[in-house]
Amino acid sequence: MKRRTLLLLFVLSIFASNAANVLLEFGKNKFDGWIYTQSSTEISNSTIGQDLISLFEDYALISPEFTAPSVKIIMVDVTGRNKGYDQPDYSNSKGKISVQVLNGNDSVVKEVKHTFTTKEFDRNFQVYLDISEDASAPLRLRFACWDANISSRFSVRNVEVTVLEYNLSGVAGDVNNDGTVTSADVTALYDYLLNGDTSHIINGDVNGDGDITSGDVTYVYNILLGL
C-alpha cells in the first residue's frame, strides 16, 4: 500500500504546475478573440511584431469575454513601446494608459490609469483591479490612451492577466471554497493535476509553497485524518 501511495505521489508530481491562473493573454499567437478598434488594421503576428497595435485617441485594444468566479483581484501585466518618445512633442501625461473593465453592456465598471514617469522605448507596467463584485459576470478588458496623439502613442505587444487573490472561505485545505474540507477537495486536486480540470479549483495551493502539487494532496489528506 505504501509503495502504491508513493508511486501515485510521484505520478502526480510529474503533472504539477504553477498555481498562477492566467485568465487572458495577448501577443504573438495569442490574439484570437481580441478586437482592435482601428478597423483598417487586422491583428496578426505581423502587426504585433511591427508594433502597429497603437493606443491613441479612439484606438483601443479590447479583450475577449472572461469570467473569474471567486476571484477578487487580477494583475494586468502589459508590455509595449512608446513609439514617439523621442519626438519633441512627446508627452508622458498624454500617453497614460487606461485599463478598464467592461461589463456586458460595455459600461466601465473598473478603471486604472497608468502614467509613465520616464521616457523609455521598451516598457512594462502592471496594474491591479478588484473585480470581486463582478467576477461571475462576463467581463472584458479595454486598453486605451484617450488623450494621446500620434506622437505620444503607446503600442501594445503583450498582455497577461493573472489571478492575484481569491475570495477564500478561510478554511485551511478548502480547495473548492465550499466552507469545509471533504473528499471533494481531494478529488478537485486530482482532477486538476491529472486532467488539467480547473472547474473546482479555487485555492489549490493549500500548503502555500507557490505551486499546486502532490504535496497539496497530502496536506488535505492530513487534515481529513486529523494530523
Side-chain angles (χ1 to χ4, degrees):
M1 179 68 180
K2 186 176 181 181
R3 289 183 62 186
R4 290 178 60 187
T5 301
L6 290 174
L7 178 61
L8 176 60
L9 292 177
F10 173 75
V11 172
L12 287 174
S13 68
I14 295 175
F15 288 93
S17 63
N18 194 286
N21 182 4
V22 178
L23 289 177
L24 292 169
E25 289 185 277
F26 173 81
K28 289 188 176 181
N29 303 315
K30 298 174 183 176
F31 50 81
D32 286 347
W34 287 76
I35 298 171
Y36 185 40
T37 58
Q38 185 183 2
S39 59
S40 61
T41 300
E42 181 180 352
I43 299 178
S44 66
N45 280 337
S46 176
T47 55
I48 296 171
Q50 296 178 52
D51 295 324
L52 298 180
I53 310 301
S54 297
L55 307 181
F56 65 95
E57 296 178 343
D58 60 347
Y59 295 159
L61 181 66
I62 303 173
S63 79
E65 284 189 343
F66 68 95
T67 57
S70 300
V71 171
K72 181 178 181 182
I73 297 173
I74 57 175
M75 179 178 73
V76 183
D77 188 294
V78 181
T79 305
R81 287 184 169 178
N82 280 350
K83 295 201 71 174
Y85 83 103
D86 56 347
Q87 297 187 23
D89 54 351
Y90 173 82
S91 167
N92 278 323
S93 60
K94 282 188 176 182
K96 65 184 175 184
I97 299 178
S98 293
V99 182
Q100 301 169 318
V101 180
L102 308 177
N103 61 18
N105 298 319
D106 284 343
S107 298
V108 177
V109 294
K110 303 286 181 181
E111 180 178 28
V112 174
K113 293 183 178 180
H114 180 85
T115 303
F116 298 114
T117 57
T118 59
K119 294 181 179 181
E120 297 173 0
F121 187 65
D122 293 298
R123 52 195 353 169
N124 174 268
F125 70 92
Q126 295 174 337
V127 298
Y128 305 91
L129 289 155
D130 185 338
I131 62 167
S132 54
E133 297 177 0
D134 309 281
S136 297
L139 300 171
R140 291 188 295 168
L141 290 180
R142 179 168 63 192
F143 303 88
C145 297
W146 303 122
D147 298 328
N149 52 29
I150 292 177
S151 300
S152 299
R153 69 193 186 278
F154 179 81
S155 296
V156 179
R157 307 190 79 184
N158 293 284
V159 174
E160 182 176 271
V161 181
T162 308
V163 173
L164 190 68
E165 183 178 331
Y166 287 100
N167 283 333
L168 301 176
S169 66
V171 178
D174 182 16
V175 175
N176 61 11
N177 200 39
D178 66 356
T180 59
V181 181
T182 66
S183 59
D185 297 299
V186 176
T187 300
L189 285 171
Y190 280 148
D191 286 345
Y192 175 76
L193 291 170
L194 295 175
N195 305 313
D197 182 1
T198 61
S199 58
H200 300 293
I201 289 283
I202 304 301
N203 178 33
D205 180 22
V206 292
N207 64 7
D209 68 354
D211 293 310
I212 302 178
T213 69
S214 58
D216 297 297
V217 178
T218 302
Y219 187 96
V220 176
Y221 266 131
N222 288 339
I223 293 175
L224 291 173
L225 294 173
L227 301 178

